[in-house]
Amino acid sequence: MGGVTITATAATAPTTSAAAADRRTSSAGEIADELCAVVCDSLRRRDQREKARRYVRGLLSTPGRKSFRNMAGDIGGTASEQSLHHFVTGSTWAWQPVRAALAGCLEAAAGPPPAWVAQPMAIPRSGAHSVGVEHRFDPHRERMFRGQQAFGTWFTSAGVVTPVGWELLLPGSSYEESAVGAVLATVRRAGGAAARPVVLDIRGIGTRPTMNRFAEAGVPVVARVAAGVGAGAGNRFLVRDAAVPGFGGGERGPAEILRSVKALGAPVEWTDAGGAARSSWAVGVRVMMPDPAVARRRELLLVGEWGAGAGGPAAELVGMWVTDLVRMPVGAVVRLTKGGLRVEAVAGASGRTVGLRDYSGRGLGGWHRHVTLASVAHAAVALAGLERDPRA
């Protein structure tokens, strides 16, 4: 932390005082300055570090869309617009060390996260000149849209939810490879935190190649599997538990397996993104993904979740996950997956506040530098306790 102490206030009780809210708003800027002093240390020149700090401050203070022009008008005039534009789009400073340092700062300030959460972020955009824009299907929301598809890796401790890593899906690239590569790169750069599990809250991402990639990297994973069409929908499993239906019956789809053991499940208590107590009906069964390579065949836990009502499961299977955390209780796995709900609740409001979706330039490097500094701004908002309360 380089001698800088950053205090998280997000876990404190909600404030009801306007004066207290004003103090916390001011504290976000102060925390941003402290964060920049640490995470931007890899930038070689002092003027670059100062520009990074001003850019983050501009993201926090500029109302509306965080364009170079709007931020320049807020923090320094027309001459500053050219300077900000060049710093993000034309400079060559590396964003990876900044992200790694940000993850370290967050862990020191807010405590270690129980899991990383990887989630897609669709960025609708009508123009044809921004990097990565095309007409595509968003499997997370199951609809077509025109724009950019990004993948964020989020730090999710008890009191802080904020992104620390990003990848942008480029035309012609693999959806699954982009998502998996992004999160593995993030946890590797995070050093000691790399052994913590990753929740891949990306619909249909739990395929055999994905599970193999995480196993080879030594990173535990909880990944969504799909029941319908699209990525991961063709997954087939072998039931490995001789005590449950389907053992020895050959390969079966995940939904078929889970529905056959639904009666063996139990209620699971968890807390939603707004802090309310919820309950689900969940069941887990040990399975194996068939693999031509015998050395890669290993036992996994397939977990299904139903809504709970009147003491029993609802009819609809609301979620299916596969994990290599085979010794973890089913309830604990379900609670880990709820990190995705926290990310989704935060990403909409505070993501707009700091301009995570606002970069519209043509260069991939410029996009990465923008979302990196926007992530620093987002972290300052989170540490100051200013993330929008989903219950509001």
Side-chain angles (χ1 to χ4, degrees):
M1 293 286 294
V4 177
T5 301
I6 300 170
T7 302
T9 62
T12 60
T15 180
T16 57
S17 163
D22 288 342
R23 286 195 298 271
R24 293 202 315 181
T25 301
S26 176
S27 74
E30 295 170 1
I31 290 173
D33 287 348
E34 294 176 358
L35 278 173
C36 287
V38 179
V39 304
C40 297
D41 188 60
S42 59
L43 277 64
R44 292 173 297 180
R45 302 198 314 268
R46 185 171 62 182
D47 68 301
Q48 288 181 316
R49 297 191 290 274
E50 175 59 17
K51 286 176 182 177
R53 187 193 70 81
R54 292 178 67 207
Y55 195 90
V56 171
R57 278 284 197 156
L59 291 169
L60 289 170
S61 64
T62 304
R65 187 169 176 271
K66 320 299 179 182
S67 67
F68 296 122
R69 176 171 297 179
N70 289 345
M71 285 196 294
D74 190 66
I75 64 175
T78 305
S80 180
E81 178 184 350
Q82 296 178 350
S83 177
L84 291 176
H85 186 279
H86 176 75
F87 176 66
V88 169
T89 65
S91 187
T92 58
W93 59 270
W95 58 85
Q96 297 92 338
V98 176
R99 295 177 183 176
L102 177 60
C105 279
L106 288 166
E107 183 163 348
W116 304 100
V117 174
Q119 198 171 92
M121 183 176 75
I123 309 172
R125 201 170 295 285
S126 58
H129 302 297
S130 298
V131 60
V133 170
E134 66 177 1
H135 199 63
R136 63 177 87 233
F137 179 72
D138 179 5
H140 195 67
R141 291 172 176 79
E142 298 184 327
R143 64 184 182 217
M144 297 295 297
F145 78 104
R146 180 171 180 79
Q148 298 162 314
Q149 179 69 73
F151 301 100
T153 304
W154 293 68
F155 179 98
T156 55
S157 71
V160 172
V161 179
T162 192
V164 292
W166 291 98
E167 187 58 89
L168 187 67
L169 180 62
L170 299 177
S173 298
S174 162
Y175 184 94
E176 190 163 338
E177 175 59 32
S178 295
V180 172
V183 69
L184 284 177
T186 296
V187 298
R188 283 169 181 151
R189 284 194 294 267
R196 296 196 182 97
V198 169
V199 175
L200 281 175
D201 191 12
I202 303 173
R203 198 169 304 278
I205 208 74
T207 67
R208 188 176 71 202
T210 290
M211 301 306 289
N212 288 342
R213 284 279 303 278
F214 277 89
E216 290 162 3
V219 178
V221 63
V222 183
R224 271 192 183 272
V225 290
V229 297
N235 281 343
R236 310 287 287 178
F237 298 90
L238 296 170
V239 175
R240 299 290 292 164
D241 189 342
V244 302
F247 178 74
E251 300 176 16
R252 302 166 69 195
E256 179 187 0
I257 293 173
L258 290 167
R259 289 185 178 116
S260 73
V261 297
K262 179 180 179 180
L264 303 178
V268 172
E269 304 296 326
W270 50 277
T271 303
D272 69 13
R278 302 290 184 188
S279 178
S280 296
W281 184 271
V283 67
V285 58
R286 295 201 178 195
V287 298
M288 183 181 73
M289 277 184 172
D291 197 304
V294 176
R296 288 202 298 257
R297 296 175 188 170
R298 65 194 188 284
E299 201 166 74
L300 302 168
L301 183 66
L302 179 65
V303 175
E305 180 187 4
W306 289 260
E316 184 182 1
L317 182 61
V318 297
M320 300 188 298
W321 302 79
V322 64
T323 179
D324 49 11
L325 297 167
V326 294
R327 299 183 186 278
M328 181 174 282
V330 170
V333 173
V334 171
R335 283 186 283 273
L336 268 187
T337 69
K338 300 309 176 183
L341 297 181
R342 297 179 65 204
V343 168
E344 195 160 357
V346 166
S350 54
R352 284 191 296 272
T353 299
V354 300
L356 282 173
R357 295 175 172 87
D358 285 355
Y359 182 79
S360 57
R362 301 186 182 208
L364 182 61
W367 181 85
H368 274 289
R369 293 184 188 93
H370 170 82
V371 294
T372 298
L373 295 176
S375 296
V376 176
H378 195 289
V381 169
L383 289 167
L386 295 172
E387 291 173 334
R388 178 129 353 136
D389 186 341
R391 291 168 289 187

